[in-house]
Amino acid sequence: MLSMAVTLFAATAWSAQPIQIEGPLRIVLPFGPGSGTDIYARLVAEKLGPALGTTVIVENKPGANGIISAESVARATPDGNTLLFTTNTTHAANPNMFKRLSYDPVKDFAPISKLGNLTFLLVVAADSPYQRLGDLIAAAHAKPERVSFGASNSFGTVSGYKLGKITDSQFLYIPYKSSPQIITDLLGGQVQFAFVDVAAATPMLKSGRMRALAVLADQRFPTLPSVPTMKDLGYPQFDVVAWFGMFAPAGTPGPVVDALNNKLVAVLQDPALRQRGAELGIEIFGSSPQELADYVASQIDLWKALTADAGLTKQ
């Protein structure tokens, strides 16, 4: 494939020189096709390509709780060609869930911009006997570790364990690489409930094949007004935010990071993109590289408390 020179101008007062990045630009994701991260990344890539004047390729590298994708970008050439479109899983939760990581979420990456927050749901199959969250909890009390839940990321994993701890229930955790696989098994009866983002769940909710029992957010979701929040159900402890961020490998030149930030933040302000994001449970916004760096540091500390509160220890 022929490379294309992409000319950017660094968004800094001290540099008015054009910055060239050899395209195409590759965006690596920690989750598979059809996940909320995948859907959002492709929406961004669709607009970022024209803004950069080059091809933007989205590459899914699911597995190992995002470790595979994060490591691949951390080891990539720091020239601005390879970026990581990721979540709190790789950059806040994993340091608190694994004794050994093949990457350092702070030292091995150059932050570019925050990308927004994502809303999650607790869902069951439409033909499930569990009509309410209380039914799940009662079933788990009656048959410990017979009521299973699926999760493909740290948000779902921690939420499931936390729900078990605060309700004195023993749920069986089934790990997955990506949310579409969870939904398939949920509909097939292999797992009883799951934590899935709104973007991935929407098609099955609209078709009537899946039912949402709770929203894991401070407020009810606009298109699902009858679905209560966890706080509505008496569990205000679920105040975790699932977030997105874009990173380059550490060592990427500052002017390149600034230029990418400038283009990306402009794309994230697109009204059509924000409207589509809202429909999918994604609150879209950007930030400066430093704001993302500071946020990651604070989130690592927060997830240390969250994993401990959920009764999880490093594996």
Side-chain angles (χ1 to χ4, degrees):
M1 180 182 292
L2 293 177
S3 64
M4 295 171 284
V6 182
T7 302
L8 302 174
F9 286 85
T12 60
W14 49 267
S15 176
Q17 297 300 313
I19 305 300
Q20 287 196 329
I21 298 176
E22 294 298 322
L25 184 68
R26 186 167 63 102
I27 296 178
V28 179
L29 310 182
F31 307 111
S35 63
T37 306
D38 175 76
I39 294 170
Y40 182 27
R42 293 180 187 279
L43 289 173
V44 171
E46 183 179 337
K47 293 186 177 295
L48 186 59
L52 295 173
T54 189
T55 301
V56 176
I57 299 172
V58 177
E59 181 178 346
N60 301 91
K61 282 194 173 184
N65 219 47
I67 293 174
I68 294 173
S69 62
E71 181 183 12
S72 72
V73 175
R75 304 293 176 256
T77 303
D79 55 8
N81 284 309
T82 305
L83 306 178
L84 180 67
F85 190 118
T86 191
T87 70
N88 43 272
T89 289
T90 61
H91 276 62
N94 280 354
N96 296 297
M97 297 179 71
F98 297 94
K99 292 179 180 179
R100 294 182 179 179
L101 275 182
S102 53
Y103 67 91
D104 186 302
V106 175
K107 296 180 181 179
D108 289 341
F109 295 90
I112 296 176
S113 174
K114 293 174 70 174
L115 299 168
N117 297 330
L118 180 64
T119 300
F120 270 75
L121 304 170
L122 190 162
V123 298
V124 297
D127 59 0
S128 168
Y130 309 119
Q131 298 295 318
R132 300 171 300 172
L133 179 59
D135 298 334
L136 278 173
I137 296 170
H141 286 168
K143 297 181 178 180
E145 295 193 349
R146 293 291 297 277
V147 177
S148 61
F149 74 94
S152 61
N153 48 58
S154 60
F155 188 94
T157 302
V158 170
S159 294
Y161 276 101
K162 189 171 185 177
L163 180 63
K165 185 176 181 181
I166 64 179
T167 62
D168 194 26
S169 306
Q170 296 182 40
F171 299 113
L172 178 63
Y173 165 54
I174 309 296
Y176 287 84
K177 287 185 177 182
S178 196
S179 50
Q181 296 173 310
I182 302 177
I183 293 173
T184 297
D185 282 1
L186 181 73
L187 298 180
Q190 280 73 44
V191 292
Q192 281 65 61
F193 71 105
F195 296 93
V196 180
D197 57 83
V198 171
T202 294
M204 291 302 163
L205 292 173
K206 287 185 175 180
S207 68
R209 299 184 65 192
M210 198 162 66
R211 184 170 64 250
L213 300 187
V215 178
L216 282 75
D218 292 337
Q219 299 179 345
R220 297 194 181 201
F221 194 67
T223 60
L224 300 169
S226 64
V227 180
T229 66
M230 293 296 286
K231 184 177 180 179
D232 291 335
L233 296 173
Y235 304 109
Q237 302 95 328
F238 285 82
D239 54 0
V240 189
V241 173
W243 53 268
F244 297 106
M246 186 85 85
F247 299 83
T252 301
V256 173
V257 169
D258 289 337
L260 287 169
N261 171 268
N262 178 258
K263 292 292 186 180
L264 181 58
V265 169
V267 163
L268 296 177
Q269 293 174 349
D270 182 89
L273 177 63
R274 290 195 170 194
Q275 176 59 35
R276 181 58 180 148
E279 295 168 358
L280 296 170
I282 303 170
E283 180 188 8
I284 297 176
F285 56 85
S287 76
S288 70
Q290 188 59 53
E291 286 172 333
L292 177 55
D294 294 341
Y295 189 67
V296 167
S298 68
Q299 284 288 300
I300 290 175
D301 290 339
L302 173 62
W303 277 85
K304 181 177 181 180
L306 291 173
T307 52
D309 186 50
L312 294 171
T313 57
K314 290 186 178 182
Q315 301 300 308

